[in-house]
Amino acid sequence: SWIGWHNDSGFLTCLSGGIFMDPNGTIIPKSPDQDAGLYVVDRQDQVLQVKLPADCMGIQIGECTQILTGGAVVATPHCVKGASNVARASLACFIDTPPSYVLS
């Protein structure tokens, strides 16, 4: 995989859809490997592939939100599976606190 399973540490993560490129940097309409891309675990512990449309953003919950809500809202476990000879680009905006912020 490109990025192994993890939770983001902050409050929220906003994600754009992925753009795939061949080894020359040319944008291709989709990955040649249909299994490549973003995966999340839902509340029923099912692994789901997420395919965000180009004009949409996805929102993932981070561990700070889980802590401050006492677990009422749970962080989103996720990973990105790769494909050979293909690059993937995505824009992520992380909503975080300063490292010194005390969660209580």
Coordinates of all heavy atoms in Angstrom, one line a residue:
S1 N 0.8 -1.2 0.0 CA 0.0 0.0 0.0 C 0.9 1.2 0.0 O 2.0 1.2 0.4 CB -1.0 0.0 1.2 OG -0.3 0.4 2.4
W2 N 0.3 2.4 -0.5 CA 1.0 3.6 -0.4 C 1.1 4.2 1.0 O 2.1 4.7 1.5 CB 0.4 4.6 -1.3 CG 0.7 4.5 -2.8 CD1 1.9 4.0 -3.3 CD2 -0.1 4.7 -3.9 NE1 1.9 4.0 -4.7 CE2 0.6 4.4 -5.1 CE3 -1.4 5.2 -4.0 CZ2 0.1 4.6 -6.3 CZ3 -1.9 5.3 -5.3 CH2 -1.2 5.0 -6.4
I3 N -0.1 4.1 1.7 CA -0.1 4.6 3.1 C -0.9 3.5 3.9 O -2.0 3.2 3.6 CB -0.9 5.9 3.2 CG1 -0.2 7.0 2.3 CG2 -1.0 6.4 4.6 CD1 -1.0 8.3 2.1
G4 N -0.3 3.0 4.9 CA -0.9 1.9 5.7 C -2.0 2.4 6.5 O -2.3 3.6 6.6
W5 N -2.7 1.5 7.2 CA -3.9 1.8 8.0 C -3.5 2.7 9.2 O -2.5 2.5 9.9 CB -4.5 0.5 8.6 CG -5.2 -0.2 7.5 CD1 -4.8 -1.3 6.8 CD2 -6.5 0.1 7.1 NE1 -5.8 -1.7 5.9 CE2 -6.9 -0.9 6.1 CE3 -7.5 1.1 7.4 CZ2 -8.1 -0.8 5.4 CZ3 -8.7 1.1 6.7 CH2 -9.0 0.1 5.7
H6 N -4.3 3.8 9.4 CA -4.0 4.7 10.5 C -5.3 5.6 10.7 O -6.2 5.6 9.9 CB -2.8 5.6 10.1 CG -3.1 6.6 9.0 ND1 -3.1 6.2 7.7 CD2 -3.4 7.9 9.0 CE1 -3.3 7.2 6.9 NE2 -3.5 8.3 7.7
N7 N -5.3 6.3 11.8 CA -6.2 7.4 12.1 C -5.5 8.7 12.1 O -4.3 8.8 12.5 CB -6.8 7.2 13.5 CG -7.7 6.0 13.7 OD1 -8.3 5.5 12.7 ND2 -7.8 5.6 14.9
D8 N -6.1 9.7 11.6 CA -5.5 11.1 11.7 C -5.6 11.5 13.1 O -6.6 11.3 13.8 CB -6.2 12.0 10.7 CG -5.9 11.7 9.2 OD1 -4.9 11.0 9.0 OD2 -6.8 12.1 8.4
S9 N -4.7 12.3 13.6 CA -4.6 12.7 15.0 C -5.4 13.9 15.3 O -5.8 14.1 16.5 CB -3.1 13.0 15.4 OG -2.6 14.0 14.6
G10 N -5.8 14.8 14.3 CA -6.4 16.0 14.6 C -7.9 15.9 14.8 O -8.5 14.8 15.2
F11 N -8.6 17.0 14.5 CA -10.1 17.0 14.6 C -10.8 16.5 13.3 O -11.6 15.6 13.4 CB -10.6 18.5 14.9 CG -10.2 18.9 16.3 CD1 -9.1 19.7 16.5 CD2 -11.1 18.5 17.3 CE1 -8.8 20.0 17.8 CE2 -10.8 18.9 18.6 CZ -9.6 19.7 18.9
L12 N -10.5 17.1 12.2 CA -11.1 16.7 10.9 C -10.0 16.7 9.8 O -9.0 17.5 9.9 CB -12.2 17.7 10.5 CG -13.4 17.9 11.4 CD1 -14.2 19.0 11.0 CD2 -14.2 16.6 11.4
T13 N -10.2 15.9 8.8 CA -9.4 15.9 7.6 C -10.4 16.1 6.4 O -11.3 15.3 6.3 CB -8.6 14.7 7.5 OG1 -7.8 14.5 8.6 CG2 -7.7 14.7 6.2
C14 N -10.1 17.1 5.6 CA -10.9 17.3 4.4 C -10.1 16.8 3.2 O -8.9 17.1 3.1 CB -11.2 18.8 4.2 SG -12.1 19.5 5.6
L15 N -10.6 16.0 2.4 CA -9.9 15.4 1.3 C -10.5 15.6 -0.1 O -11.8 15.6 -0.2 CB -9.9 13.8 1.4 CG -9.3 13.3 2.7 CD1 -9.6 11.8 2.8 CD2 -7.8 13.4 2.6
S16 N -9.7 15.9 -1.1 CA -10.2 16.0 -2.4 C -10.1 14.5 -3.0 O -9.4 13.7 -2.5 CB -9.3 16.9 -3.3 OG -8.0 16.4 -3.4
G17 N -10.7 14.3 -4.1 CA -10.6 13.1 -4.8 C -9.2 12.9 -5.4 O -8.5 13.9 -5.6
G18 N -8.8 11.7 -5.6 CA -7.4 11.4 -6.1 C -7.3 11.6 -7.6 O -8.3 11.5 -8.3
I19 N -6.1 12.1 -8.0 CA -5.8 12.2 -9.4 C -4.7 11.2 -9.7 O -3.7 11.1 -8.9 CB -5.3 13.6 -9.7 CG1 -6.4 14.6 -9.5 CG2 -4.7 13.7 -11.1 CD1 -5.9 16.1 -9.6
F20 N -4.8 10.4 -10.7 CA -3.8 9.4 -11.0 C -3.0 9.8 -12.2 O -3.5 10.5 -13.1 CB -4.5 8.1 -11.3 CG -5.2 7.5 -10.1 CD1 -6.6 7.7 -9.9 CD2 -4.5 6.7 -9.2 CE1 -7.2 7.2 -8.8 CE2 -5.2 6.2 -8.1 CZ -6.5 6.5 -7.9
M21 N -1.7 9.5 -12.2 CA -0.7 9.9 -13.2 C 0.1 8.7 -13.6 O 0.5 7.9 -12.8 CB 0.2 11.0 -12.8 CG -0.6 12.3 -12.5 SD 0.4 13.5 -11.6 CE 0.1 13.0 -9.9
D22 N 0.5 8.7 -14.9 CA 1.4 7.6 -15.4 C 2.8 8.0 -15.1 O 3.0 9.1 -14.5 CB 1.2 7.4 -16.9 CG 1.6 8.5 -17.8 OD1 2.4 9.4 -17.3 OD2 1.2 8.5 -19.0
P23 N 3.8 7.2 -15.3 CA 5.2 7.5 -15.0 C 5.7 8.7 -15.6 O 6.7 9.3 -15.0 CB 6.0 6.2 -15.4 CG 5.0 5.1 -15.4 CD 3.7 5.8 -15.8
N24 N 5.1 9.2 -16.6 CA 5.6 10.5 -17.3 C 4.9 11.7 -16.7 O 5.2 12.8 -17.1 CB 5.3 10.5 -18.8 CG 6.1 9.4 -19.4 OD1 7.3 9.1 -19.1 ND2 5.5 8.7 -20.4
G25 N 4.0 11.5 -15.7 CA 3.3 12.6 -15.1 C 2.1 13.1 -15.8 O 1.4 14.0 -15.4
T26 N 1.7 12.3 -16.8 CA 0.4 12.6 -17.5 C -0.8 12.1 -16.7 O -0.8 11.0 -16.3 CB 0.4 11.9 -18.9 OG1 1.6 12.3 -19.6 CG2 -0.8 12.2 -19.7
I27 N -1.8 13.0 -16.5 CA -3.0 12.6 -15.8 C -3.8 11.6 -16.6 O -4.0 11.8 -17.8 CB -3.8 13.9 -15.4 CG1 -3.0 14.8 -14.5 CG2 -5.1 13.5 -14.8 CD1 -3.7 16.1 -14.2
I28 N -4.2 10.6 -15.9 CA -5.0 9.6 -16.6 C -6.4 9.6 -15.9 O -6.5 10.0 -14.7 CB -4.3 8.2 -16.5 CG1 -4.0 7.8 -15.1 CG2 -3.1 8.1 -17.4 CD1 -3.4 6.4 -14.9
P29 N -7.4 9.2 -16.6 CA -8.8 9.4 -16.1 C -9.1 8.6 -14.9 O -9.8 9.0 -14.0 CB -9.7 8.9 -17.3 CG -8.8 8.6 -18.4 CD -7.4 8.7 -18.0
K30 N -8.5 7.4 -14.7 CA -8.6 6.6 -13.5 C -7.5 5.7 -13.4 O -6.7 5.5 -14.4 CB -10.0 5.9 -13.5 CG -10.1 4.9 -14.7 CD -11.4 4.2 -14.7 CE -11.5 3.2 -15.8 NZ -12.7 2.4 -15.8
S31 N -7.3 5.1 -12.2 CA -6.2 4.2 -12.0 C -6.5 2.9 -12.9 O -7.6 2.4 -12.9 CB -6.1 3.8 -10.6 OG -5.2 2.7 -10.4
P32 N -5.4 2.3 -13.5 CA -5.6 1.1 -14.2 C -5.9 -0.1 -13.2 O -6.4 -1.1 -13.7 CB -4.3 0.9 -14.9 CG -3.3 1.7 -14.3 CD -4.1 2.9 -13.6
D33 N -5.6 0.1 -12.0 CA -5.9 -0.9 -11.0 C -7.2 -0.4 -10.2 O -7.1 0.5 -9.4 CB -4.7 -1.1 -10.1 CG -4.9 -2.1 -9.0 OD1 -6.1 -2.6 -8.8 OD2 -3.9 -2.5 -8.4
Q34 N -8.3 -1.1 -10.3 CA -9.5 -0.7 -9.7 C -9.5 -0.8 -8.2 O -10.3 -0.2 -7.5 CB -10.7 -1.5 -10.2 CG -11.0 -1.1 -11.7 CD -11.4 0.3 -11.8 OE1 -12.2 0.9 -11.2 NE2 -10.6 1.0 -12.7
D35 N -8.5 -1.6 -7.6 CA -8.3 -1.7 -6.2 C -7.5 -0.6 -5.6 O -7.5 -0.5 -4.3 CB -7.7 -3.1 -5.9 CG -8.6 -4.2 -6.2 OD1 -9.8 -4.0 -6.2 OD2 -8.1 -5.3 -6.5
A36 N -6.9 0.3 -6.4 CA -6.1 1.4 -5.9 C -7.0 2.5 -5.4 O -8.1 2.7 -5.9 CB -5.1 1.9 -6.9
G37 N -6.5 3.2 -4.3 CA -7.2 4.3 -3.8 C -7.5 4.3 -2.3 O -6.9 3.5 -1.6
L38 N -8.4 5.1 -1.9 CA -8.7 5.3 -0.4 C -9.7 4.3 0.1 O -10.7 4.0 -0.6 CB -9.3 6.7 -0.2 CG -9.8 7.1 1.2 CD1 -8.6 7.1 2.1 CD2 -10.5 8.4 1.1
Y39 N -9.4 3.7 1.2 CA -10.2 2.8 1.9 C -10.5 3.2 3.4 O -9.6 3.8 4.0 CB -9.6 1.4 2.0 CG -9.6 0.7 0.7 CD1 -8.7 1.0 -0.3 CD2 -10.5 -0.3 0.4 CE1 -8.7 0.3 -1.5 CE2 -10.6 -1.0 -0.8 CZ -9.6 -0.7 -1.8 OH -9.6 -1.3 -3.0
V40 N -11.7 3.0 3.9 CA -12.0 3.4 5.2 C -12.7 2.2 5.9 O -13.2 1.3 5.2 CB -13.0 4.6 5.3 CG1 -12.3 5.8 4.7 CG2 -14.3 4.3 4.7
V41 N -12.7 2.2 7.2 CA -13.5 1.2 8.0 C -14.7 1.9 8.5 O -14.6 2.9 9.2 CB -12.6 0.6 9.1 CG1 -13.5 -0.3 10.0 CG2 -11.4 -0.1 8.6
D42 N -15.9 1.4 8.3 CA -17.2 2.0 8.8 C -17.5 1.5 10.2 O -16.7 0.7 10.8 CB -18.3 1.8 7.8 CG -18.8 0.3 7.7 OD1 -18.4 -0.5 8.6 OD2 -19.6 0.0 6.8
R43 N -18.6 2.0 10.7 CA -19.0 1.6 12.1 C -19.3 0.2 12.3 O -19.5 -0.3 13.4 CB -20.1 2.5 12.6 CG -19.6 3.9 12.8 CD -20.7 4.8 13.4 NE -20.2 6.1 13.7 CZ -20.3 6.6 14.9 NH1 -20.9 6.0 15.9 NH2 -19.8 7.8 15.1
Q44 N -19.5 -0.6 11.2 CA -19.8 -2.0 11.3 C -18.5 -2.8 11.1 O -18.6 -4.0 10.8 CB -20.9 -2.4 10.3 CG -22.3 -1.9 10.7 CD -22.5 -0.4 10.4 OE1 -22.1 0.1 9.4 NE2 -23.2 0.2 11.4
D45 N -17.4 -2.1 11.1 CA -16.1 -2.8 10.9 C -15.9 -3.3 9.5 O -15.2 -4.3 9.2 CB -15.7 -3.8 11.9 CG -15.4 -3.2 13.3 OD1 -14.9 -2.1 13.3 OD2 -15.8 -3.8 14.3
Q46 N -16.6 -2.8 8.5 CA -16.5 -3.2 7.1 C -15.5 -2.3 6.4 O -15.6 -1.0 6.6 CB -17.9 -3.1 6.4 CG -18.9 -4.0 7.0 CD -18.6 -5.5 6.9 OE1 -18.3 -5.9 5.8 NE2 -18.6 -6.2 8.0
V47 N -14.6 -2.8 5.6 CA -13.7 -2.1 4.8 C -14.4 -1.6 3.5 O -14.9 -2.5 2.8 CB -12.4 -2.9 4.5 CG1 -11.5 -2.1 3.6 CG2 -11.7 -3.2 5.8
L48 N -14.4 -0.3 3.2 CA -15.1 0.2 2.1 C -14.1 1.0 1.2 O -13.3 1.8 1.8 CB -16.2 1.1 2.5 CG -17.3 0.5 3.4 CD1 -18.2 1.6 3.9 CD2 -18.0 -0.6 2.7
Q49 N -14.1 0.9 -0.1 CA -13.3 1.7 -0.9 C -14.1 3.0 -1.2 O -15.3 3.0 -1.4 CB -13.0 1.0 -2.3 CG -12.1 1.9 -3.1 CD -11.7 1.2 -4.4 OE1 -12.4 0.3 -4.9 NE2 -10.6 1.6 -5.0
V50 N -13.4 4.1 -1.1 CA -14.1 5.4 -1.3 C -13.6 6.0 -2.6 O -12.4 6.2 -2.8 CB -13.7 6.4 -0.1 CG1 -14.3 7.8 -0.4 CG2 -14.1 5.8 1.2
K51 N -14.6 6.3 -3.4 CA -14.3 7.0 -4.7 C -14.9 8.3 -4.8 O -16.1 8.4 -5.1 CB -14.7 6.1 -5.9 CG -13.9 4.8 -5.9 CD -14.2 4.0 -7.2 CE -13.3 2.8 -7.2 NZ -13.0 2.3 -8.5
L52 N -14.2 9.4 -4.4 CA -14.7 10.7 -4.4 C -14.8 11.3 -5.8 O -13.8 11.3 -6.5 CB -13.9 11.6 -3.5 CG -13.8 11.3 -2.0 CD1 -12.7 12.2 -1.4 CD2 -15.1 11.6 -1.4
P53 N -16.0 11.8 -6.2 CA -16.0 12.5 -7.4 C -15.1 13.7 -7.5 O -14.8 14.3 -6.4 CB -17.5 13.0 -7.5 CG -18.2 12.1 -6.6 CD -17.3 11.7 -5.5
A54 N -14.6 14.1 -8.6 CA -13.7 15.2 -8.8 C -14.2 16.5 -8.2 O -13.4 17.3 -7.7 CB -13.3 15.4 -10.2
D55 N -15.5 16.8 -8.1 CA -16.0 18.0 -7.6 C -16.5 17.9 -6.2 O -17.3 18.8 -5.8 CB -17.1 18.5 -8.6 CG -18.3 17.6 -8.7 OD1 -18.2 16.4 -8.2 OD2 -19.4 18.0 -9.2
C56 N -16.1 16.9 -5.5 CA -16.5 16.7 -4.1 C -15.3 16.6 -3.1 O -14.2 16.4 -3.6 CB -17.3 15.4 -4.0 SG -18.9 15.5 -4.9
M57 N -15.6 16.8 -1.9 CA -14.6 16.6 -0.8 C -15.2 15.6 0.2 O -16.4 15.5 0.4 CB -14.3 17.9 -0.1 CG -13.8 19.0 -1.0 SD -12.3 19.9 -0.6 CE -11.4 19.1 0.5
G58 N -14.3 14.8 0.7 CA -14.6 13.9 1.8 C -14.1 14.4 3.1 O -13.1 15.2 3.2
I59 N -14.8 14.1 4.2 CA -14.5 14.6 5.5 C -14.2 13.3 6.4 O -15.1 12.5 6.5 CB -15.6 15.5 6.2 CG1 -16.0 16.6 5.3 CG2 -15.1 15.9 7.6 CD1 -14.9 17.6 5.0
Q60 N -13.1 13.3 7.1 CA -12.8 12.2 8.0 C -12.6 12.7 9.4 O -12.1 13.8 9.6 CB -11.5 11.5 7.6 CG -11.6 10.7 6.3 CD -10.4 10.0 5.9 OE1 -10.4 9.2 5.0 NE2 -9.2 10.3 6.5
I61 N -13.1 12.0 10.4 CA -13.0 12.4 11.8 C -11.6 11.9 12.3 O -11.1 10.9 12.0 CB -14.1 11.7 12.6 CG1 -15.5 12.0 12.1 CG2 -14.0 12.0 14.1 CD1 -15.8 13.5 12.1
G62 N -11.0 12.8 13.1 CA -9.7 12.5 13.7 C -9.8 12.1 15.2 O -10.9 12.2 15.8
E63 N -8.7 11.8 15.7 CA -8.7 11.3 17.1 C -9.0 12.3 18.1 O -9.5 12.0 19.2 CB -7.3 10.6 17.4 CG -7.1 9.3 16.7 CD -5.8 8.6 16.9 OE1 -4.8 9.3 17.3 OE2 -5.7 7.4 16.6
C64 N -8.6 13.6 17.9 CA -9.0 14.7 18.8 C -10.5 14.8 19.0 O -11.0 14.9 20.1 CB -8.4 16.0 18.4 SG -6.7 16.2 18.6
T65 N -11.3 14.7 17.9 CA -12.7 14.7 17.9 C -13.2 13.5 18.7 O -14.2 13.7 19.5 CB -13.3 14.7 16.5 OG1 -12.8 15.9 15.8 CG2 -14.8 14.7 16.6
Q66 N -12.6 12.4 18.5 CA -13.1 11.2 19.3 C -12.9 11.4 20.8 O -13.7 11.0 21.6 CB -12.3 9.9 18.8 CG -12.7 8.7 19.5 CD -12.0 7.4 18.9 OE1 -11.8 7.4 17.7 NE2 -11.7 6.5 19.7
I67 N -11.7 11.9 21.1 CA -11.4 12.1 22.6 C -12.4 13.2 23.2 O -13.0 12.9 24.2 CB -10.0 12.6 22.7 CG1 -9.0 11.5 22.4 CG2 -9.7 13.1 24.2 CD1 -7.6 11.9 22.2
L68 N -12.6 14.3 22.5 CA -13.4 15.4 23.0 C -14.9 15.0 23.1 O -15.7 15.5 23.9 CB -13.2 16.6 22.3 CG -11.9 17.3 22.5 CD1 -11.8 18.6 21.6 CD2 -11.7 17.7 23.9
T69 N -15.3 14.0 22.3 CA -16.7 13.6 22.3 C -16.9 12.4 23.2 O -18.0 11.8 23.2 CB -17.3 13.3 20.9 OG1 -16.6 12.2 20.4 CG2 -17.2 14.5 20.0
G70 N -15.9 11.9 23.9 CA -16.0 10.7 24.7 C -16.3 9.5 23.9 O -16.8 8.5 24.4
G71 N -15.9 9.5 22.6 CA -16.1 8.3 21.8 C -17.5 8.3 21.1 O -17.8 7.4 20.3
A72 N -18.3 9.3 21.3 CA -19.6 9.4 20.5 C -19.3 9.6 19.0 O -20.1 9.1 18.2 CB -20.4 10.6 21.1
V73 N -18.3 10.2 18.7 CA -17.8 10.3 17.3 C -16.5 9.7 17.2 O -15.6 10.0 18.0 CB -17.7 11.8 16.8 CG1 -17.3 11.9 15.4 CG2 -19.1 12.5 17.0
V74 N -16.3 8.7 16.3 CA -15.1 7.9 16.3 C -14.2 8.2 15.1 O -14.7 8.5 14.0 CB -15.6 6.4 16.2 CG1 -14.3 5.5 16.1 CG2 -16.5 6.0 17.3
A75 N -12.9 8.2 15.4 CA -12.0 8.5 14.3 C -12.1 7.5 13.2 O -12.5 6.4 13.4 CB -10.5 8.5 14.9
T76 N -11.8 7.9 11.9 CA -11.9 7.1 10.8 C -10.7 6.4 10.4 O -9.7 7.0 9.9 CB -12.3 8.0 9.6 OG1 -13.4 8.8 9.9 CG2 -12.7 7.1 8.3
P77 N -10.6 5.0 10.7 CA -9.4 4.3 10.2 C -9.4 4.3 8.7 O -10.5 4.1 8.0 CB -9.6 2.9 10.7 CG -10.7 3.0 11.8 CD -11.5 4.2 11.4
H78 N -8.3 4.5 8.1 CA -8.2 4.5 6.6 C -6.8 4.2 6.1 O -5.8 4.3 6.9 CB -8.6 5.9 6.1 CG -7.8 7.1 6.6 ND1 -7.9 7.5 7.9 CD2 -6.8 7.8 6.0 CE1 -7.1 8.5 8.1 NE2 -6.4 8.7 7.0
C79 N -6.7 3.9 4.9 CA -5.4 3.6 4.2 C -5.6 4.0 2.7 O -6.7 4.2 2.2 CB -5.0 2.1 4.3 SG -5.9 1.0 3.3
V80 N -4.4 4.0 2.0 CA -4.5 4.2 0.6 C -3.7 3.1 -0.1 O -2.5 2.9 0.2 CB -3.8 5.6 0.2 CG1 -3.8 5.7 -1.3 CG2 -4.6 6.7 0.8
K81 N -4.4 2.3 -0.9 CA -3.7 1.2 -1.6 C -3.2 1.7 -2.9 O -3.8 2.5 -3.6 CB -4.7 0.1 -1.9 CG -5.2 -0.6 -0.6 CD -6.1 -1.8 -0.9 CE -6.5 -2.5 0.4 NZ -7.3 -3.7 0.1
G82 N -2.0 1.3 -3.2 CA -1.3 1.7 -4.4 C -1.5 0.8 -5.6 O -2.1 -0.3 -5.6
A83 N -1.0 1.3 -6.8 CA -0.9 0.5 -8.0 C 0.5 0.7 -8.6 O 1.1 1.7 -8.4 CB -2.0 1.0 -9.0
S84 N 1.0 -0.3 -9.3 CA 2.3 -0.2 -9.9 C 2.3 0.7 -11.1 O 1.3 0.8 -11.8 CB 2.8 -1.6 -10.3 OG 1.9 -2.2 -11.2
N85 N 3.4 1.5 -11.2 CA 3.6 2.4 -12.3 C 2.5 3.5 -12.4 O 2.2 4.0 -13.5 CB 3.7 1.7 -13.7 CG 4.9 0.8 -13.7 OD1 6.0 1.2 -13.3 ND2 4.7 -0.4 -14.2
V86 N 1.9 3.8 -11.3 CA 0.9 4.9 -11.2 C 1.2 5.7 -10.0 O 1.4 5.2 -8.9 CB -0.5 4.3 -11.2 CG1 -1.6 5.4 -11.0 CG2 -0.8 3.5 -12.4
A87 N 1.1 7.1 -10.1 CA 1.2 8.0 -9.0 C -0.2 8.5 -8.7 O -1.1 8.5 -9.6 CB 2.1 9.1 -9.3
R88 N -0.5 8.8 -7.4 CA -1.8 9.3 -7.0 C -1.5 10.6 -6.2 O -0.6 10.7 -5.4 CB -2.5 8.4 -6.1 CG -3.9 8.9 -5.6 CD -4.5 7.8 -4.7 NE -5.7 8.3 -4.1 CZ -5.8 9.0 -3.0 NH1 -4.8 9.3 -2.3 NH2 -7.0 9.4 -2.5
A89 N -2.3 11.7 -6.6 CA -2.2 12.9 -5.8 C -3.5 13.3 -5.3 O -4.6 13.1 -5.9 CB -1.7 14.0 -6.8
S90 N -3.6 13.8 -4.1 CA -4.8 14.2 -3.4 C -4.5 15.4 -2.5 O -3.4 15.4 -1.9 CB -5.4 13.1 -2.6 OG -6.6 13.5 -2.0
L91 N -5.4 16.3 -2.3 CA -5.2 17.4 -1.4 C -5.9 17.1 -0.1 O -7.1 16.8 -0.1 CB -5.7 18.7 -2.0 CG -5.6 19.9 -1.1 CD1 -4.2 20.3 -0.9 CD2 -6.4 21.1 -1.8
A92 N -5.1 17.2 1.0 CA -5.7 17.0 2.3 C -5.5 18.3 3.1 O -4.5 18.9 3.1 CB -5.0 15.8 3.0
C93 N -6.6 18.7 3.8 CA -6.5 19.8 4.7 C -6.8 19.3 6.1 O -7.9 18.7 6.4 CB -7.6 20.9 4.3 SG -7.6 22.3 5.5
F94 N -5.8 19.4 7.0 CA -6.0 18.9 8.4 C -6.4 20.0 9.3 O -5.7 21.0 9.4 CB -4.6 18.2 8.8 CG -4.2 17.1 8.0 CD1 -3.3 17.3 7.0 CD2 -4.7 15.8 8.1 CE1 -2.8 16.3 6.2 CE2 -4.3 14.8 7.3 CZ -3.4 15.0 6.3
I95 N -7.4 19.8 10.1 CA -7.9 20.7 11.1 C -7.4 20.2 12.4 O -7.8 19.2 13.0 CB -9.4 20.8 11.2 CG1 -10.0 21.0 9.8 CG2 -9.9 21.9 12.1 CD1 -9.6 22.3 9.1
D96 N -6.3 20.9 13.0 CA -5.6 20.4 14.2 C -5.5 21.6 15.2 O -5.8 22.7 14.9 CB -4.2 20.0 13.8 CG -4.2 18.7 13.0 OD1 -5.0 17.8 13.2 OD2 -3.3 18.6 12.1
T97 N -5.0 21.2 16.3 CA -4.7 22.2 17.4 C -3.2 22.3 17.5 O -2.5 21.5 16.9 CB -5.2 21.7 18.8 OG1 -4.5 20.5 19.1 CG2 -6.7 21.4 18.8
P98 N -2.7 23.3 18.2 CA -1.3 23.3 18.5 C -0.9 22.1 19.3 O -1.7 21.6 20.1 CB -1.1 24.6 19.3 CG -2.3 25.4 19.0 CD -3.4 24.5 18.7
P99 N 0.3 21.6 19.1 CA 0.8 20.4 19.9 C 0.6 20.6 21.4 O 0.5 19.6 22.1 CB 2.2 20.2 19.5 CG 2.3 20.9 18.1 CD 1.4 22.1 18.2
S100 N 0.7 21.8 21.9 CA 0.6 22.0 23.3 C -0.8 22.1 23.9 O -1.0 22.1 25.1 CB 1.3 23.3 23.7 OG 0.7 24.4 23.0
Y101 N -1.8 22.0 23.0 CA -3.2 22.1 23.4 C -3.6 20.8 24.2 O -3.4 19.7 23.8 CB -4.1 22.2 22.2 CG -5.6 22.4 22.6 CD1 -6.1 23.7 22.9 CD2 -6.5 21.3 22.6 CE1 -7.4 23.9 23.2 CE2 -7.8 21.5 22.9 CZ -8.3 22.8 23.2 OH -9.6 23.0 23.5
V102 N -4.2 21.1 25.4 CA -4.5 19.9 26.3 C -6.0 19.6 26.0 O -6.9 20.4 26.1 CB -4.4 20.3 27.8 CG1 -4.8 19.2 28.7 CG2 -2.9 20.7 28.1
L103 N -6.2 18.3 25.6 CA -7.6 17.8 25.4 C -8.1 17.4 26.8 O -7.5 16.6 27.5 CB -7.5 16.6 24.5 CG -7.0 16.9 23.1 CD1 -7.0 15.6 22.3 CD2 -7.9 17.9 22.4
S104 N -9.3 17.8 27.1 CA -9.9 17.4 28.3 C -11.4 17.2 28.2 O -12.0 17.6 27.2 CB -9.6 18.4 29.4 OG -10.0 19.7 29.1

